[in-house]
């Protein structure tokens, strides 16, 4: 597979020193998120119900907050991460189904790079705290569609090659 060959060429597997926590209470910890909408401009004209800033900087600030919360609340040695969809906002300024224009703050290439970087960084931060990480990604949603699958497929190739304790299902 073409992507896997590129990943193997540029990424060396990493042995992570797992920081075991005493007194686990649960069988697994869980992170569920949805509607990340990478590339979205939330308030293009100033009249949006959901105004505010949503760009690469804000996205990675929220990632840091999320990972810190998870680190402070570890209760098992397994983390299950569920991305319920709409991770990417669209393709060429529309939903992937077409016909629904979306204000965007990134082009397709930038959104791809940011989406992959977000997911890889999440794992890079959390992998030291969990013996096992299982990631489930919903890809055929109404905003991202096949673009979401492409981003998640690249992410899967990278982290499954990089870490032996991470499993991704798209």
């Amino acid at each position: 597979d073409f992507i896997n060959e590129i990943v193997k060429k540029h990424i060396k597997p990493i042995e992570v020193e797992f920081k075991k926590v005493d007194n686990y209470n649960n069988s697994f910890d869980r992170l569920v998120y949805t509607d990340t909408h990478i590339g979205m401009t939330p308030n293009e004209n100033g009249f949006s119900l959901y105004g505010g800033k949503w760009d690469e900087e804000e996205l990675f600030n929220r990632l840091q907050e999320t990972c810190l919360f998870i680190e402070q609340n570890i209760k098992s040695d397994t983390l299950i991460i569920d991305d319920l969809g709409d991770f990417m906002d669209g393709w060429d300024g529309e939903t992937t189904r077409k016909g629904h224009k979306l204000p965007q703050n990134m082009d397709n290439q930038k959104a791809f790079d940011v989406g992959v970087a977000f997911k890889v960084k999440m794992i890079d931060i959390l992998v030291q705290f969990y013996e096992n990480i299982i990631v489930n990604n919903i890809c055929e949603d109404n905003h991202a569609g096949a673009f979401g699958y492409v981003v998640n497929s690249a992410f899967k190739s990278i982290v499954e090659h990089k870490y032996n304790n991470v499993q991704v299902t798209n």
Side-chain angles (χ1 to χ4, degrees):
D1 163 64
F2 179 69
I3 295 284
N4 283 329
E5 292 305 313
I6 292 170
V7 167
K8 289 176 185 175
K9 180 179 175 184
H10 295 285
I11 295 176
K12 181 179 177 185
I14 296 174
E15 287 293 323
V16 176
E17 187 173 319
F18 173 62
K19 298 177 182 178
K20 191 161 179 78
V21 175
D22 294 330
N23 303 324
Y24 289 132
N25 300 341
N26 295 344
S27 299
F28 60 89
D29 293 344
R30 191 161 180 218
L31 167 61
V32 179
Y33 66 98
T34 187
D35 294 287
T36 307
H37 289 278
I38 291 177
M40 172 180 70
T41 297
N43 196 11
E44 183 181 42
N45 60 12
F47 297 108
S48 174
L49 180 62
Y50 306 104
K53 178 181 167 194
W54 191 244
D55 59 10
E56 182 177 3
E57 179 184 13
E58 186 63 26
L59 177 72
F60 282 94
N61 287 341
R62 300 281 179 97
L63 175 62
Q64 290 292 348
E65 290 176 21
T66 300
C67 290
L68 180 60
F69 179 85
I70 292 167
E71 179 185 348
Q72 293 170 341
N73 291 281
I74 296 171
K75 295 187 176 40
S76 79
D77 65 355
T78 298
L79 175 63
I80 299 173
I81 301 172
D82 293 318
D83 172 356
L84 300 182
D86 283 351
F87 181 67
M88 308 304 291
D89 193 51
W91 179 263
D92 286 338
E94 295 182 311
T95 61
T96 56
R97 294 182 300 178
K98 300 296 181 197
H100 180 174
K101 296 282 185 198
L102 302 167
Q104 303 283 280
N105 59 28
M106 298 177 196
D107 63 17
N108 299 335
Q109 294 83 348
K110 177 70 174 177
F112 173 86
D113 290 343
V114 169
V116 172
F118 174 89
K119 289 193 169 217
V120 170
K121 183 168 182 146
M122 179 188 299
I123 299 303
D124 288 345
I125 293 169
L126 296 174
V127 73
Q128 65 185 312
F129 303 112
Y130 290 96
E131 198 168 328
N132 301 297
I133 297 179
I134 300 163
V135 182
N136 301 301
N137 297 308
I138 302 299
C139 300
E140 284 299 321
D141 52 70
N142 67 320
H143 273 258
F147 187 30
Y149 177 79
V150 170
V151 169
N152 283 306
S153 182
F155 160 70
K156 174 182 173 71
S157 293
I158 292 166
V159 297
E160 286 187 350
H161 181 72
K162 194 172 182 181
Y163 302 113
N164 65 2
N165 63 330
V166 177
Q167 172 192 340
V168 178
T169 302
N170 294 326

